Amino acid sequence: MNDVATYQLLDGKRASQALRERIAAEALEVKAARGRVPHLAAVLVGDDGASRTYVESKVKACQSVGFRSTLIKRPATTAEDELLHLVRSLNKDKELDGFIVQLPLPGHINADRITLAIDPRKDVDGFHPENVGNMVLGLPGFLPATPAGIVELLRFHHIETAGKHCVVVGRSNIVGTPMSILMSRNAYPGNCSVTITHSRSKDLAAITRQADILIPAIGRPEFITAYMVKEGAVVVDVGIHRIPDATRKAGFRLVGDVKFDDVAPKCSWISPVPGGVGPMTITSLLLNTLKAAQR
Ligand code: GUN
């Protein structure tokens, strides 16, 4: 048995860096043509630690490509009507190309109502039903950031996808469902036979073991173990979880939905956490914002 790992990393940092250089150059072209750089706003309701971290990284990423960004914080007690009012004012703001409302929202706010209120032309998260419909039909629109980022990560590493069996674990509106659509469309990356699995799937391991490309997006730390993965598979880990760890300065470490050290030796390619899908998600948001500004 050969213990030397032969897998390669799907490197989200490197892929992001390359894409961000292109985005920064195009941002300058937008400035030359329109007199201002692309502008993204992020709305954060409440004080959930993880959401704050994500939103702050999105704002920081804007700076890295020369975009303007605005962070709008509201208390957890904000009424749904107040948030709707804010969304409508952002829809009308001519200085703003796109905005996102970070999810999850506090329980008393209906997230679907908020998403529906966002102008699809400013919906750089790609969550509005009009953008979801455009994606399903293959029409122009904003793709949701995480699935679009994964597509770009596969493209950057020239991963072969046509004819492969792609298994997506998780059926969320944000990742699992759109991912399954993008991997099955007639495009590169795409042209996969796709299976989507979820919490009611029977004998999950029997399905995941058939995957040439496995995309776990279930939100359970280190759920996918070597037993569930086929030899030579490409594994794209969407999960990101903070695990308490007293040996780390931050007091926690980050892990994905995949038990990395266990699974990696079986893979041809695998994305790390952190440094895999995470940076790509943010880069996709920048790409969508650039597209909104170019319209
Ligand atoms: N929460 C987790 N992921 C996302 C995302 O991509 N966009 C927003 N708005 N909220 C999220």
Side-chain angles (χ1 to χ4, degrees):
M1 189 65 186
N2 181 1
D3 274 332
V4 178
T6 53
Y7 64 87
Q8 298 189 71
L9 281 183
L10 293 166
D11 186 341
K13 277 197 218 158
R14 207 154 59 80
S16 278
Q17 185 57 35
L19 278 166
R20 287 186 196 187
E21 279 167 22
R22 227 182 65 204
I23 294 169
E26 291 194 38
L28 290 176
E29 287 172 20
V30 168
K31 178 150 196 259
R34 300 186 49 189
R36 63 171 184 79
V37 296
H39 180 195
L40 171 76
V43 179
L44 177 64
V45 183
D47 44 21
D48 176 70
S51 288
R52 205 178 55 231
T53 308
Y54 295 145
V55 168
E56 282 166 1
S57 356
K58 290 171 184 178
V59 167
K60 224 162 76 188
C62 283
Q63 291 160 6
S64 78
V65 290
F67 288 5
R68 183 178 161 201
S69 62
T70 303
L71 176 54
I72 303 168
K73 288 186 181 169
R74 290 289 183 268
T77 50
T78 303
E80 186 176 291
D81 278 350
E82 280 178 82
L83 187 56
L84 281 170
H85 185 76
L86 172 62
V87 164
R88 290 187 189 117
S89 73
L90 296 175
N91 283 343
K92 281 190 233 142
D93 186 341
K94 292 204 161 50
E95 296 290 302
L96 192 60
D97 298 296
F99 65 98
I100 64 159
V101 179
Q102 186 67 23
L103 302 177
L105 289 166
H108 64 278
I109 297 177
N110 181 334
D112 289 341
R113 281 190 69 195
I114 303 300
T115 302
L116 268 172
I118 297 174
D119 183 334
R121 289 166 301 182
K122 289 195 174 182
D123 168 40
V124 286
D125 256 333
F127 292 170
H128 189 283
E130 186 173 317
N131 282 315
V132 177
N134 284 335
M135 174 193 62
V136 172
L137 297 173
L139 296 172
F142 295 118
L143 296 177
T146 300
I150 291 170
V151 162
E152 292 308 320
L153 188 61
L154 295 172
R155 189 199 311 278
F156 181 79
H157 291 286
H158 309 289
I159 303 298
E160 242 183 77
T161 58
K164 305 285 182 189
H165 184 190
C166 174
V167 175
V168 179
V169 190
R171 58 180 159 190
S172 72
N173 289 342
I174 295 183
V175 185
T177 296
M179 195 71 243
S180 68
I181 291 163
L182 293 182
M183 293 307 282
S184 65
R185 66 184 176 166
N186 184 3
Y188 175 77
N191 282 313
C192 288
S193 307
V194 176
T195 301
I196 184 157
T197 65
H198 43 74
S199 55
R200 302 291 291 271
S201 295
K202 282 191 184 146
D203 200 356
L204 179 65
I207 304 170
T208 57
R209 286 169 67 88
Q210 294 173 34
D212 302 309
I213 300 172
L214 180 63
I215 309 184
I218 22 178
R220 290 219 229 160
E222 301 184 319
F223 179 79
I224 302 287
T225 55
Y227 167 73
M228 303 171 81
V229 178
K230 178 161 87 173
E231 197 72 45
V234 175
V235 175
V236 187
D237 189 352
V238 181
I240 182 151
H241 313 275
R242 290 179 176 191
I243 302 290
D245 185 342
T247 69
R248 302 287 177 98
K249 206 167 112 197
F252 64 85
R253 68 193 161 90
L254 294 174
V255 302
D257 286 352
V258 175
K259 202 167 166 62
F260 185 92
D261 292 341
D262 189 36
V263 169
K266 281 185 104 172
C267 299
S268 55
W269 293 85
I270 182 168
S271 69
V273 176
V277 171
M280 296 306 292
T281 295
I282 297 183
T283 299
S284 295
L285 180 67
L286 299 175
L287 267 171
N288 278 347
T289 305
L290 174 69
K291 206 152 107 181
Q294 286 170 331
R295 276 185 173 179

